[in-house]
Amino acid sequence: MTQYIIKRLLLLPLLLFIFSIFAFFVIQAPPGDFVTSYIAELAASGSSMDQAQIDALRAMYGLDRPMYIQYLKWVGRIIRGDLGVSLDWQRPNLELISERLMLTVALGLLTFCFTWAVAIPIGIYSATHQYSFFDYFFTVFNYFGVATPTFMTALVLMWLAFQYFGVSVTGLFSPQYVDAPWTWGRVVDLLRHLWLPAVILGLDGTARLARIMRANLLDELNKPYVEMARAKGMSEWKLVLKYPVRLAINPLISTIGWYLPLIFSGSVIVATVLNLPTIGPMLLRALTNQDMFLAGAIVLIYCGLAVIGTLISDILLAWLDPRIRMEES
Amino acid sequence: MSSEQRPILSVRDLKTYFFLDEGTVKAVDGVSFDVYPGQVVGIVGESGCGKSVTVRSVLRIVEKPGRIVAGEIFFRPRKGNGRLLEGSQDGYVDLARLDAQGREMRAIRGAEIALIPQEPMAAFSPVHTIGDQIMETILLHQAVNEEEARRLGIERLREVGIPNPEQRMEAYSWELSGGLRQRAMIAMALSCHPTLLIADEPTTAIDVTTQAQVLNLLRSLQQQHNMSIIFITHDLGVIAQIAEYVLVMYLGRLMETGPVVDIFHHPLHPYTRALLKSIPSVYTRSRTFLPTIEGSIPHPFNRPPGCPFHPRCSQFTAGICDQKTPLLQPVNEQQSVSCFLYHRRAEED
Ligand SMILES: Nc1ncnc2c1ncn2[C@@H]1O[C@H](COP(=O)(O)OP(=O)(O)OP(=O)(O)O)[C@@H](O)[C@H]1O
Ligand SMILES: [Mg+2]
């Protein structure tokens, strides 16, 4: 088991290296650079720059150097813990990101917990009560959950909350806490605001997960080991929870890996609609303004999260499934 | 076995049907038999004739949409299991009347009637150790702590001839060979000393040599513990090795019953005869084709009227066999047959 984990950990630097190249070239892909879009912005507001100024600006940000030099310098700085300065915000990227990263992680984890806590019991109930009224009810509900775009749900809920309760559900803080330093009151205020976006963001995933859980469990319920457990005289719900549920959840564990980054990136539209101070909208803005170092840093963090997520789910899976542990060693 | 003894299990006119959208499958359709203490009863018949459903009905683990629609399953629990016997004068409980998932039935399943399934590979959970699953059975039915349960589990594994039982407790089923796995399954089934063991084709999934070992093991355990066994197989050779009494089943009904010697030496029912002809023997000339039973088993939805075997029967009498369903009737000291060649008693309908 330890050997298995160490093997995975040794792979980490290699993966991150590959991802850094990937991140860098992806953000370089759109034509032009920050200066181009800066000039366009200036032009839109009526002013302009001469060629010398432009060249000076490019030289200042190192944009006139060959691509690989730019990459090496960028990676070199990142290794030293320097994520660079945002060209757009004129503030250190680390500062910009860390503020939002914490909120994003909090929202992501809450969404994740909500999804599992709701989907797994629904899946178990539907499978063990196949074709019952509630099974049909959940099936219909799940179809709606999967088919409705998340931002739509967000808009409808916002409208309902505003129309009937007179509350505005945008943002993650009440006005008096937006720029306040961290206090107990601010944490409570955050939690009061966080659950609704978590529910909105989690609805789609919940519906999907419940459907997969139902299908997996239905498969497992027909397996001979379930009949054997029955023949041993175990009570029905005990044996269902101990054997088939356990085996039906195993394949879901591996979804945690890609679920983590999905929550972060998939929430861009919802975060914009709900005006959440999370990372998604920041990445969107960085990309449109060609704020390449900020965008690169964020993309790299996404990749890091994907790697960590995969690592966590690999470890969980090996811990839960002895067959996988055996294969690896 | 002595015939004066009272049976431990007495099944009367059992009917278990599956209610599907396409129609009703009469998987078991009026089956009666007795199992005496210490007796090994074999059930033979082609695939799909209802052998498994019969014993699953006894265990009350028939899955939906299947249901016992009629009949009685009288079982005689141990004296100690007194609570079960409330309201019964003769010491029998009708399992068919119990709630399948209720406390009474669960106290019998695994403790008094145990199952050895066909595929030990699939019948063990792949993510729980063998020890965990054996101890679980012991803890369910016996008032012992975990340490004691482990000790008993190791003892059972040793009893079925598994080397290094302490280590095997921590093993997973897929780490064992087929033979050891089936032995572990037997150990689990015997962990609470059941009085009736149901073995549903326990040797189909393993090779012939191992099969013989497992059969010998079952035989000796059966004698040690004076258990009764219901042994299902479609291999008549295996029946000859292990059973004392044989039930020949076809399409949910019993065609013939009797002691193994009589069934093998003078089979009465045309189906039994056909079945016996289809097994290879040392007397069969090599390079001749093994005779197979003519025709094929009818689809479960359109069971033929009258005797279920008549479309394939070489001795069928038109106007009788295709009109009326023969009852299983004793025709000599030992054997009972449901065939109009031997008697006229038919089901009234
Ligand atoms: N879950 C089920 N749903 C519908 N029909 C079933 C179900 N289980 C069994 N049957 C039907 O009941 C009949 C008897 O099946 P059973 O499993 O008892 O046969 P068997 O004699 O044990 O055969 P085999 O030798 O192949 O194990 C079959 O026709 C089968 O189609
Ligand atoms: Mg069967």
Side-chain angles (χ1 to χ4, degrees), chain A residues 128 223-236 238 242-243 246-247 250 320-326, chain B residues 56 59 61 101 106 109-110 113 115 117 122-128 132-133 136-137 140-141 172 174-175 185 188:
Chain A
T128 50
K223 298 269 172 80
Y225 66 82
V226 178
E227 174 166 285
M228 195 59 215
R230 251 179 226 134
K232 289 200 284 191
M234 289 181 82
S235 72
E236 190 67 15
K238 240 193 199 156
K242 176 166 177 184
Y243 295 111
R246 166 80 185 276
L247 278 134
N250 270 5
L320 284 174
D321 196 331
R323 289 168 297 184
I324 289 174
R325 233 178 294 152
M326 201 56 66
Chain B
R56 285 219 296 270
L59 278 165
I61 52 170
Q101 290 175 19
R106 280 191 281 118
R109 273 205 294 265
I113 308 180
L115 172 73
F124 275 119
S125 154
V127 299
H128 296 84
D132 176 337
Q133 293 174 72
E136 176 181 69
T137 319
L140 264 174
H141 298 293
Y172 294 94
W174 38 267
E175 294 178 285
M185 194 44 91
M188 181 156 91

Side-chain angles (χ1 to χ4, degrees), chain A residues 289-303:
Chain A
N289 291 341
Q290 304 225 10
D291 187 351
M292 54 179 276
F293 295 126
L294 179 58
I298 294 177
V299 170
L300 199 56
I301 285 175
Y302 277 170
C303 295

Side-chain angles (χ1 to χ4, degrees), chain B residues 325-329 338-340 342-348:
Chain B
T325 313
L327 282 173
L328 187 70
Q329 285 296 305
S338 62
C339 179
F340 291 128
Y342 303 95
H343 62 76
R344 291 279 130 182
R345 294 223 28 209
E347 223 166 50
E348 290 136 40

